[in-house]
Coordinates of all heavy atoms in Angstrom, one line a residue:
M13 N 139.9 40.2 98.3 CA 139.3 39.9 99.6 C 138.8 41.1 100.3 O 139.4 42.2 100.3 CB 140.5 39.3 100.5 CG 140.9 37.9 100.2 SD 142.0 37.4 101.5 CE 141.8 35.7 101.3
W14 N 137.6 40.9 100.9 CA 137.0 42.0 101.6 C 137.5 42.0 103.0 O 137.8 41.0 103.7 CB 135.5 41.8 101.6 CG 134.9 41.8 100.2 CD1 134.6 40.8 99.4 CD2 134.6 43.0 99.5 NE1 134.1 41.2 98.2 CE2 134.1 42.6 98.3 CE3 134.6 44.4 99.8 CZ2 133.7 43.5 97.3 CZ3 134.2 45.3 98.8 CH2 133.7 44.8 97.6
L15 N 137.6 43.2 103.6 CA 138.0 43.4 105.0 C 136.7 43.3 105.9 O 135.7 43.8 105.5 CB 138.7 44.7 105.2 CG 139.9 45.0 104.4 CD1 140.5 46.4 104.7 CD2 141.0 43.9 104.7
N16 N 136.9 42.7 107.0 CA 135.7 42.7 108.0 C 135.6 44.1 108.6 O 136.5 45.0 108.4 CB 135.8 41.6 109.0 CG 137.0 41.8 110.0 OD1 137.3 42.9 110.4 ND2 137.7 40.6 110.3
E17 N 134.6 44.4 109.4 CA 134.4 45.7 109.9 C 135.5 46.1 110.9 O 135.9 47.3 110.9 CB 133.0 45.8 110.6 CG 133.0 45.3 112.0 CD 131.7 45.5 112.7 OE1 130.8 44.6 112.5 OE2 131.5 46.4 113.5
H18 N 136.1 45.2 111.6 CA 137.2 45.5 112.5 C 138.5 45.8 111.8 O 139.2 46.7 112.2 CB 137.4 44.4 113.5 CG 136.1 44.0 114.2 ND1 135.5 44.8 115.1 CD2 135.4 42.8 114.2 CE1 134.4 44.2 115.6 NE2 134.3 43.0 115.1
E19 N 138.7 45.1 110.7 CA 139.9 45.4 109.9 C 139.7 46.8 109.2 O 140.7 47.6 109.1 CB 140.1 44.3 108.9 CG 140.5 43.0 109.5 CD 140.4 41.8 108.6 OE1 139.7 41.9 107.6 OE2 141.1 40.8 108.8
N20 N 138.5 47.1 108.7 CA 138.3 48.4 108.1 C 138.5 49.5 109.1 O 139.1 50.5 108.8 CB 136.8 48.5 107.6 CG 136.7 48.0 106.1 OD1 137.6 48.3 105.3 ND2 135.7 47.3 105.8
A21 N 138.0 49.3 110.4 CA 138.2 50.3 111.4 C 139.7 50.5 111.7 O 140.2 51.6 111.9 CB 137.4 49.9 112.7
L22 N 140.4 49.4 111.8 CA 141.9 49.4 112.0 C 142.6 50.2 110.9 O 143.4 51.1 111.2 CB 142.4 48.0 112.2 CG 144.0 47.9 112.3 CD1 144.5 48.7 113.5 CD2 144.4 46.5 112.3
R23 N 142.2 49.9 109.7 CA 142.8 50.6 108.5 C 142.5 52.1 108.6 O 143.4 52.9 108.4 CB 142.3 50.0 107.2 CG 143.0 50.6 106.0 CD 142.8 49.7 104.8 NE 143.4 50.3 103.7 CZ 142.8 50.9 102.6 NH1 141.5 50.9 102.6 NH2 143.5 51.4 101.6
R24 N 141.3 52.4 108.8 CA 140.9 53.9 108.9 C 141.6 54.5 110.1 O 142.1 55.7 109.9 CB 139.4 54.0 109.1 CG 138.6 53.9 107.9 CD 137.1 54.3 108.1 NE 136.5 53.6 109.2 CZ 135.9 52.5 109.2 NH1 135.8 51.8 108.0 NH2 135.3 52.0 110.2
D25 N 141.8 53.9 111.2 CA 142.5 54.5 112.3 C 144.0 54.7 112.0 O 144.5 55.8 112.3 CB 142.4 53.6 113.6 CG 141.0 53.6 114.2 OD1 140.2 54.4 113.9 OD2 140.8 52.7 115.1
L26 N 144.6 53.7 111.3 CA 146.0 53.9 111.0 C 146.2 55.0 110.0 O 147.1 55.8 110.1 CB 146.5 52.6 110.4 CG 146.7 51.4 111.4 CD1 146.9 50.1 110.6 CD2 147.8 51.7 112.3
Q27 N 145.3 55.1 109.0 CA 145.3 56.2 108.0 C 145.1 57.5 108.7 O 145.7 58.5 108.3 CB 144.3 56.0 106.9 CG 144.7 54.8 106.0 CD 143.6 54.5 105.0 OE1 142.4 54.6 105.3 NE2 144.0 54.1 103.8
S28 N 144.2 57.6 109.6 CA 143.9 58.8 110.3 C 145.0 59.3 111.1 O 145.4 60.5 111.1 CB 142.6 58.6 111.2 OG 142.4 59.8 111.9
V29 N 145.7 58.4 111.9 CA 146.8 58.8 112.7 C 148.0 59.3 111.7 O 148.7 60.3 112.0 CB 147.2 57.7 113.6 CG1 148.5 58.1 114.4 CG2 146.1 57.5 114.6
A30 N 148.2 58.5 110.7 CA 149.2 58.9 109.7 C 149.0 60.3 109.1 O 149.9 61.1 109.0 CB 149.3 57.9 108.6
S31 N 147.7 60.6 108.8 CA 147.3 61.9 108.3 C 147.6 63.0 109.4 O 148.1 64.1 109.1 CB 145.9 61.9 107.9 OG 145.5 63.2 107.5
D32 N 147.3 62.7 110.6 CA 147.5 63.7 111.7 C 149.0 64.0 111.9 O 149.4 65.1 112.1 CB 147.0 63.1 113.1 CG 145.5 63.1 113.1 OD1 144.8 63.7 112.3 OD2 144.9 62.4 114.1
L33 N 149.8 62.9 111.7 CA 151.3 63.1 111.8 C 151.8 64.0 110.7 O 152.6 64.9 110.8 CB 152.0 61.8 111.8 CG 151.9 61.0 113.1 CD1 152.4 59.6 113.0 CD2 152.6 61.7 114.3
R34 N 151.2 63.8 109.5 CA 151.6 64.6 108.3 C 151.2 66.0 108.5 O 152.1 66.9 108.3 CB 150.9 64.0 107.0 CG 151.3 64.8 105.8 CD 150.6 64.3 104.5 NE 150.4 62.8 104.5 CZ 149.3 62.2 104.5 NH1 148.1 62.8 104.6 NH2 149.2 60.9 104.5
W35 N 150.0 66.3 109.0 CA 149.6 67.7 109.2 C 150.4 68.3 110.3 O 150.8 69.5 110.2 CB 148.1 67.6 109.6 CG 147.6 69.0 110.0 CD1 147.1 70.0 109.2 CD2 147.5 69.5 111.3 NE1 146.8 71.1 109.9 CE2 147.0 70.8 111.2 CE3 147.8 69.0 112.6 CZ2 146.8 71.6 112.3 CZ3 147.6 69.8 113.7 CH2 147.1 71.1 113.6
S36 N 150.7 67.5 111.4 CA 151.6 68.1 112.5 C 153.0 68.4 112.0 O 153.5 69.5 112.4 CB 151.7 67.0 113.6 OG 150.4 66.8 114.1
A37 N 153.5 67.6 111.1 CA 154.9 67.9 110.6 C 154.9 69.1 109.7 O 155.8 70.0 109.8 CB 155.4 66.7 109.7
V38 N 153.8 69.3 109.0 CA 153.7 70.6 108.1 C 153.6 71.8 109.1 O 154.3 72.8 108.8 CB 152.5 70.5 107.2 CG1 152.1 71.9 106.6 CG2 152.7 69.5 106.1
E39 N 152.9 71.7 110.1 CA 152.7 72.8 111.1 C 154.1 73.1 111.8 O 154.5 74.2 112.0 CB 151.6 72.6 112.1 CG 150.2 72.7 111.5 CD 150.0 74.1 111.0 OE1 150.2 75.1 111.7 OE2 149.6 74.2 109.8
L40 N 154.8 72.0 112.1 CA 156.1 72.2 112.8 C 157.1 72.8 111.8 O 157.9 73.6 112.3 CB 156.6 70.8 113.3 CG 155.9 70.3 114.6 CD1 156.3 68.9 114.8 CD2 156.2 71.2 115.7
L41 N 157.0 72.5 110.6 CA 157.9 73.1 109.6 C 157.7 74.6 109.5 O 158.6 75.4 109.4 CB 157.8 72.5 108.2 CG 158.4 71.1 108.1 CD1 158.1 70.5 106.7 CD2 159.9 71.2 108.3
R42 N 156.4 75.0 109.6 CA 156.1 76.4 109.7 C 156.7 77.1 110.9 O 157.3 78.2 110.8 CB 154.6 76.6 109.6 CG 154.1 78.1 109.6 CD 152.6 78.2 109.6 NE 152.0 77.6 110.8 CZ 152.1 78.2 112.1 NH1 152.6 79.3 112.2 NH2 151.5 77.6 113.1
I43 N 156.6 76.4 112.0 CA 157.2 76.9 113.3 C 158.7 77.0 113.2 O 159.3 77.9 113.6 CB 156.7 76.1 114.5 CG1 155.2 76.3 114.7 CG2 157.5 76.4 115.7 CD1 154.6 75.3 115.6
E44 N 159.3 75.9 112.6 CA 160.7 75.9 112.4 C 161.2 77.1 111.6 O 162.2 77.7 112.0 CB 161.1 74.6 111.7 CG 162.6 74.4 111.5 CD 163.1 75.0 110.1 OE1 162.2 75.1 109.2 OE2 164.2 75.3 110.0
Q45 N 160.5 77.5 110.6 CA 160.9 78.6 109.8 C 160.8 79.9 110.6 O 161.7 80.8 110.5 CB 160.0 78.8 108.5 CG 160.2 77.7 107.5 CD 159.2 77.7 106.4 OE1 158.2 78.4 106.4 NE2 159.4 76.8 105.4
Q46 N 159.8 80.0 111.4 CA 159.7 81.2 112.3 C 160.8 81.3 113.3 O 161.4 82.3 113.6 CB 158.3 81.2 113.0 CG 157.2 81.5 112.1 CD 155.8 81.3 112.8 OE1 155.7 80.8 113.9 NE2 154.8 81.7 112.1
L47 N 161.2 80.1 113.9 CA 162.3 80.1 114.8 C 163.6 80.5 114.1 O 164.4 81.3 114.7 CB 162.4 78.7 115.4 CG 161.3 78.3 116.4 CD1 161.4 76.8 116.7 CD2 161.5 79.1 117.7
R48 N 163.8 80.0 112.9 CA 165.0 80.3 112.2 C 165.1 81.8 111.9 O 166.1 82.4 112.0 CB 165.1 79.5 110.9 CG 166.4 79.5 110.2 CD 166.5 78.5 109.0 NE 166.1 77.2 109.4 CZ 167.0 76.3 109.9 NH1 168.2 76.6 110.2 NH2 166.6 75.0 110.1
Q49 N 163.9 82.4 111.5 CA 163.9 83.8 111.2 C 164.1 84.6 112.4 O 164.7 85.7 112.3 CB 162.6 84.2 110.5 CG 162.4 83.7 109.1 CD 161.0 83.9 108.6 OE1 160.1 84.3 109.3 NE2 160.8 83.6 107.3
A50 N 163.8 84.1 113.6 CA 164.0 84.8 114.8 C 165.4 84.6 115.4 O 165.7 85.1 116.4 CB 163.0 84.4 115.9
G51 N 166.2 83.8 114.6 CA 167.6 83.6 115.0 C 167.7 82.5 116.1 O 168.8 82.3 116.7
N52 N 166.7 81.7 116.2 CA 166.8 80.6 117.2 C 167.1 79.3 116.5 O 166.2 78.4 116.3 CB 165.4 80.5 117.9 CG 165.5 79.6 119.2 OD1 166.4 78.8 119.3 ND2 164.5 79.7 120.0
E53 N 168.3 79.1 116.1 CA 168.8 78.0 115.3 C 168.7 76.7 116.1 O 168.3 75.6 115.5 CB 170.2 78.2 114.8 CG 170.7 77.2 113.8 CD 169.9 77.2 112.5 OE1 169.5 78.3 112.1 OE2 169.8 76.2 111.9
V54 N 169.0 76.7 117.4 CA 169.0 75.5 118.2 C 167.6 74.9 118.2 O 167.4 73.7 118.0 CB 169.5 75.8 119.6 CG1 169.3 74.6 120.5 CG2 171.0 76.2 119.6
D55 N 166.6 75.7 118.5 CA 165.2 75.2 118.6 C 164.7 74.8 117.2 O 164.0 73.9 117.0 CB 164.3 76.2 119.2 CG 164.5 76.3 120.7 OD1 165.1 75.3 121.3 OD2 164.0 77.3 121.3
A56 N 165.1 75.6 116.2 CA 164.7 75.2 114.8 C 165.2 73.8 114.4 O 164.5 73.0 113.8 CB 165.3 76.3 113.8
Q57 N 166.5 73.5 114.8 CA 167.0 72.2 114.5 C 166.3 71.1 115.3 O 166.0 70.0 114.7 CB 168.5 72.2 114.9 CG 169.4 72.9 113.9 CD 169.3 72.4 112.5 OE1 169.4 71.1 112.3 NE2 169.2 73.2 111.5
A58 N 165.9 71.4 116.5 CA 165.2 70.4 117.3 C 163.8 70.1 116.7 O 163.4 69.0 116.6 CB 165.0 70.9 118.7
V59 N 163.2 71.2 116.2 CA 161.9 71.0 115.5 C 162.0 70.2 114.2 O 161.2 69.3 113.9 CB 161.2 72.4 115.2 CG1 160.0 72.2 114.3 CG2 160.8 73.0 116.5
L60 N 163.1 70.4 113.5 CA 163.4 69.6 112.3 C 163.5 68.1 112.6 O 163.0 67.3 111.9 CB 164.6 70.1 111.5 CG 164.4 71.3 110.6 CD1 165.7 71.7 110.0 CD2 163.4 71.1 109.6
K61 N 164.2 67.8 113.7 CA 164.4 66.4 114.1 C 163.0 65.8 114.4 O 162.7 64.7 114.1 CB 165.3 66.3 115.3 CG 166.7 66.6 115.0 CD 167.6 66.5 116.2 CE 169.0 66.8 115.8 NZ 169.9 66.8 117.0
L62 N 162.1 66.6 115.1 CA 160.8 66.1 115.4 C 160.0 65.9 114.1 O 159.3 64.8 114.0 CB 160.1 67.2 116.2 CG 159.1 66.7 117.3 CD1 159.9 66.1 118.5 CD2 158.3 67.8 117.8
C63 N 160.1 66.7 113.1 CA 159.5 66.5 111.8 C 159.9 65.3 111.2 O 159.1 64.5 110.7 CB 159.8 67.7 110.9 SG 158.9 69.2 111.3
A64 N 161.2 65.0 111.2 CA 161.7 63.8 110.6 C 161.2 62.6 111.3 O 160.8 61.6 110.7 CB 163.2 63.8 110.6
L65 N 161.1 62.6 112.6 CA 160.5 61.5 113.4 C 159.0 61.3 113.0 O 158.6 60.2 112.7 CB 160.6 61.8 114.9 CG 160.0 60.8 115.8 CD1 160.9 59.6 115.8 CD2 159.9 61.4 117.2
F66 N 158.2 62.4 112.9 CA 156.8 62.3 112.6 C 156.7 61.7 111.1 O 155.8 60.9 110.9 CB 156.2 63.7 112.6 CG 155.8 64.1 114.0 CD1 156.2 63.5 115.1 CD2 155.0 65.2 114.2 CE1 155.9 63.9 116.4 CE2 154.6 65.6 115.4 CZ 155.1 65.0 116.6
Q67 N 157.5 62.2 110.2 CA 157.4 61.7 108.8 C 157.7 60.2 108.8 O 157.1 59.5 108.0 CB 158.3 62.5 107.9 CG 157.8 63.9 107.7 CD 158.8 64.9 107.1 OE1 160.0 64.6 107.1 NE2 158.3 65.9 106.5
G68 N 158.7 59.7 109.5 CA 159.0 58.3 109.6 C 157.8 57.5 110.2 O 157.5 56.4 109.6
D69 N 157.3 58.0 111.2 CA 156.1 57.4 111.9 C 154.9 57.3 110.9 O 154.2 56.3 110.8 CB 155.7 58.0 113.2 CG 156.7 57.8 114.3 OD1 157.6 56.9 114.1 OD2 156.7 58.6 115.3
E70 N 154.7 58.5 110.2 CA 153.6 58.5 109.2 C 153.8 57.4 108.2 O 152.8 56.7 107.8 CB 153.6 59.9 108.5 CG 152.5 60.0 107.4 CD 152.9 61.0 106.4 OE1 153.7 61.8 106.6 OE2 152.3 60.9 105.3
A71 N 155.0 57.3 107.6 CA 155.2 56.3 106.6 C 155.0 54.9 107.1 O 154.4 54.0 106.5 CB 156.6 56.5 106.1
R72 N 155.4 54.7 108.4 CA 155.3 53.3 109.0 C 153.8 53.0 109.1 O 153.3 51.9 108.8 CB 156.0 53.2 110.3 CG 156.1 51.8 110.8 CD 157.1 51.7 111.9 NE 156.8 52.5 113.1 CZ 157.5 53.5 113.5 NH1 158.6 53.9 112.9 NH2 157.2 54.2 114.6
L73 N 153.0 54.0 109.6 CA 151.6 53.7 109.8 C 150.9 53.5 108.5 O 150.0 52.7 108.4 CB 151.0 54.9 110.6 CG 151.3 54.9 112.1 CD1 150.8 56.2 112.7 CD2 150.8 53.7 112.8
A74 N 151.2 54.3 107.5 CA 150.6 54.1 106.2 C 151.0 52.7 105.6 O 150.1 52.1 105.0 CB 151.1 55.2 105.2
G75 N 152.2 52.3 105.9 CA 152.5 50.9 105.5 C 151.7 49.8 106.2 O 151.3 48.9 105.6
Y76 N 151.5 50.0 107.5 CA 150.6 49.1 108.2 C 149.2 49.1 107.7 O 148.6 48.0 107.6 CB 150.6 49.5 109.7 CG 151.9 49.3 110.5 CD1 152.1 50.0 111.6 CD2 152.9 48.4 110.0 CE1 153.3 49.9 112.4 CE2 154.1 48.3 110.8 CZ 154.3 49.0 111.9 OH 155.4 48.9 112.6
A77 N 148.7 50.3 107.3 CA 147.4 50.3 106.7 C 147.3 49.5 105.4 O 146.3 48.9 105.2 CB 147.0 51.8 106.5
E78 N 148.4 49.6 104.6 CA 148.4 48.8 103.4 C 148.5 47.3 103.7 O 147.9 46.5 102.9 CB 149.6 49.3 102.5 CG 149.3 50.6 101.8 CD 148.0 50.7 101.0 OE1 147.8 49.8 100.2 OE2 147.2 51.6 101.2
E79 N 149.2 47.0 104.8 CA 149.3 45.6 105.1 C 147.9 45.1 105.6 O 147.5 43.9 105.3 CB 150.3 45.4 106.2 CG 151.7 45.5 105.8 CD 152.7 45.3 106.8 OE1 152.4 44.6 107.9 OE2 153.9 45.8 106.7
V80 N 147.1 45.9 106.3 CA 145.8 45.5 106.6 C 145.0 45.3 105.4 O 144.2 44.3 105.3 CB 145.1 46.6 107.5 CG1 143.6 46.3 107.7 CG2 145.8 46.7 108.9
K81 N 145.1 46.2 104.4 CA 144.3 46.1 103.2 C 144.7 44.8 102.4 O 143.8 44.1 101.8 CB 144.6 47.3 102.3 CG 143.9 47.3 101.0 CD 144.2 48.6 100.2 CE 143.5 48.6 98.8 NZ 143.9 49.7 98.1
A82 N 146.0 44.4 102.5 CA 146.4 43.2 101.8 C 146.2 42.0 102.6 O 146.6 40.9 102.2 CB 147.9 43.3 101.5
K83 N 145.5 42.1 103.8 CA 145.2 41.0 104.7 C 146.5 40.4 105.3 O 146.5 39.2 105.7 CB 144.4 39.9 104.0 CG 143.0 40.3 103.7 CD 142.2 40.2 104.9 CE 140.7 39.9 104.6 NZ 140.0 39.7 105.8
L84 N 147.6 41.1 105.3 CA 148.8 40.6 106.0 C 148.7 40.9 107.5 O 149.3 40.2 108.3 CB 150.0 41.3 105.5 CG 150.3 41.1 104.0 CD1 151.5 42.0 103.5 CD2 150.6 39.7 103.7
I85 N 147.8 41.8 107.9 CA 147.5 42.1 109.3 C 146.0 42.0 109.4 O 145.3 42.6 108.5 CB 147.9 43.5 109.7 CG1 149.5 43.6 109.7 CG2 147.4 43.8 111.1 CD1 150.0 45.1 109.9
S86 N 145.5 41.3 110.3 CA 144.0 41.2 110.5 C 143.6 41.4 111.9 O 144.4 41.4 112.8 CB 143.5 39.8 110.0 OG 144.0 38.8 110.9
R87 N 142.3 41.7 112.0 CA 141.7 41.9 113.4 C 140.4 41.3 113.3 O 139.6 41.5 112.5 CB 141.6 43.4 113.6 CG 141.0 43.7 115.0 CD 140.8 45.2 115.2 NE 142.0 45.6 115.9 CZ 142.2 46.9 116.3 NH1 141.2 47.8 116.0 NH2 143.2 47.2 116.9
K88 N 140.2 40.4 114.3 CA 138.9 39.7 114.5 C 137.8 40.6 115.2 O 136.7 40.5 114.9 CB 139.1 38.4 115.2 CG 140.1 37.5 114.5 CD 139.6 37.2 113.1 CE 140.7 36.2 112.4 NZ 140.7 36.3 111.0
K89 N 138.3 41.3 116.2 CA 137.4 42.2 116.9 C 138.1 43.4 117.4 O 139.4 43.4 117.5 CB 136.7 41.5 118.1 CG 137.7 41.1 119.2 CD 137.0 40.4 120.3 CE 138.0 40.2 121.5 NZ 137.3 39.7 122.7
A90 N 137.4 44.5 117.7 CA 138.0 45.7 118.1 C 138.4 45.6 119.6 O 137.7 44.9 120.4 CB 137.1 46.9 117.9
H91 N 139.5 46.2 120.0 CA 139.9 46.2 121.4 C 139.4 47.3 122.2 O 139.2 48.4 121.7 CB 141.4 46.2 121.5 CG 142.0 45.0 120.8 ND1 142.0 43.7 121.4 CD2 142.6 44.8 119.6 CE1 142.6 42.9 120.6 NE2 143.0 43.5 119.5

């Protein structure tokens, strides 16, 4: 089944945001390492929690994008 233009846009948007979250988590891990090296364990742990949150959100959005592709989620027009 082919996706209509609105569904394609939705899928691309979901994939894009998931990618942004992935990139952000990688950057936060770099910051976490710097915090840990500076002896700031409390903030390092807080950043790790944020990374875990971003990684979970990334996975969820990627799953939604796959549901759009499988036509389990559809969009008739852009909002």
Side-chain angles (χ1 to χ4, degrees):
M13 285 187 154
W14 296 97
L15 299 178
N16 66 40
E17 82 177 85
H18 305 296
E19 291 165 337
N20 271 320
L22 174 60
R23 184 167 181 250
R24 279 191 308 272
D25 287 347
L26 290 167
Q27 289 172 326
S28 176
V29 174
S31 178
D32 290 347
L33 287 170
R34 183 180 320 113
W35 176 83
S36 296
V38 168
E39 287 299 307
L40 284 171
L41 285 173
R42 184 183 59 76
I43 292 168
E44 180 269 336
Q45 290 172 353
Q46 292 173 346
L47 288 167
R48 194 175 302 278
Q49 289 172 354
N52 191 342
E53 189 65 31
V54 172
D55 286 341
Q57 288 297 317
V59 169
L60 278 179
K61 288 179 184 178
L62 216 72
C63 286
L65 179 70
F66 281 12
Q67 290 167 338
D69 290 344
E70 175 207 343
R72 191 168 60 247
L73 288 174
Y76 294 156
E78 287 304 309
E79 289 181 21
V80 171
K81 182 179 178 183
K83 291 281 208 176
L84 298 173
I85 297 174
S86 67
R87 178 181 269 181
K88 302 300 180 206
K89 64 179 186 170
H91 296 285

